Amino acid sequence: IPEDLMALYERIREHKGGLSGDLALGASSIPGAYMLPALIAAFTRKHPAARVAVRIQGSREIVRGVAEGAYEVGMVGARFDGGSVRYQRYAQDELVLAVAISHPWATRRTIGIRDLAGQPIIMRERGSGTRKIMERALAEHGLEVGQLHVAMEVTSTEAIRQGIKAQAGVAVISRRAVEDDIRGGTVAALRFRGLRLVRDVFLVTHRTRSRSPLGAAFAAFLRSTGDR
């Protein structure tokens, strides 16, 4: 069914009493943990009969799931080649250097990226989107991860967040992930001088497979809430 006809059908159904049913979404770690929960809550307040399930995996796995039909809509922080899915930029995610509030750098607003040498660093695992961005930034300044003191290597954003607060090291992390900690006064966030680390967050849908009315409505809702 063409998307314009699907949208019309959704509006008719909504006018008659709202959408219902089950919707499977896929998301990578940052959008899945720090963006989608509030969005889903807003959507289900409007459509209380809708039941939304989110599976959090790596971006590549989410894109594969959309391509194979496991998820009607995905939200990821990286793009991959492949003709069966459509990417639409939804928002930007800024990465910052987060330190415990007791760290000597906590009173600073910026730091030089070469100052990381000698600091204990908490890193995401090889292949993660956050690590790839950090590796590129280091390379631009003549540094490699092997030259840093990697105190911990973990597979989740939440593990990094807790490690920072436990003073296990400093870390490059999504600002969204530590926003509550910054407001609560347990973590400080710095930018690198002359360098702003940002990445796009994308909505992912299948190019040709028709979505359910609920899936199409949720995708349209997300598009209406994204960055302008």
Side-chain angles (χ1 to χ4, degrees), residues 186-221:
T186 59
V187 167
L190 296 78
R191 286 177 172 167
F192 292 109
R193 282 193 296 272
L195 181 66
R196 188 161 180 253
L197 303 180
V198 294
R199 61 181 169 188
D200 288 327
V201 174
F202 299 96
L203 300 182
V204 187
T205 54
H206 200 279
R207 285 188 179 278
T208 58
R209 185 181 293 115
S210 61
R211 289 185 292 280
S212 68
L214 181 58
F218 188 75
F221 169 75

Side-chain angles (χ1 to χ4, degrees), residues 169-186:
V170 304
V172 172
I173 190 171
S174 168
R175 187 180 185 92
R176 297 174 189 271
V178 291
E179 201 67 60
D180 287 347
D181 301 315
I182 294 168
R183 285 195 293 265
T186 59

Side-chain angles (χ1 to χ4, degrees), residues 20-26 40 43 50-54 70-73 211-219:
S20 63
D22 297 310
L23 175 62
L25 307 177
I40 292 170
F43 183 79
R51 295 177 298 275
V52 182
V54 183
Y71 312 120
E72 289 200 53
V73 182
R211 289 185 292 280
S212 68
L214 181 58
F218 188 75

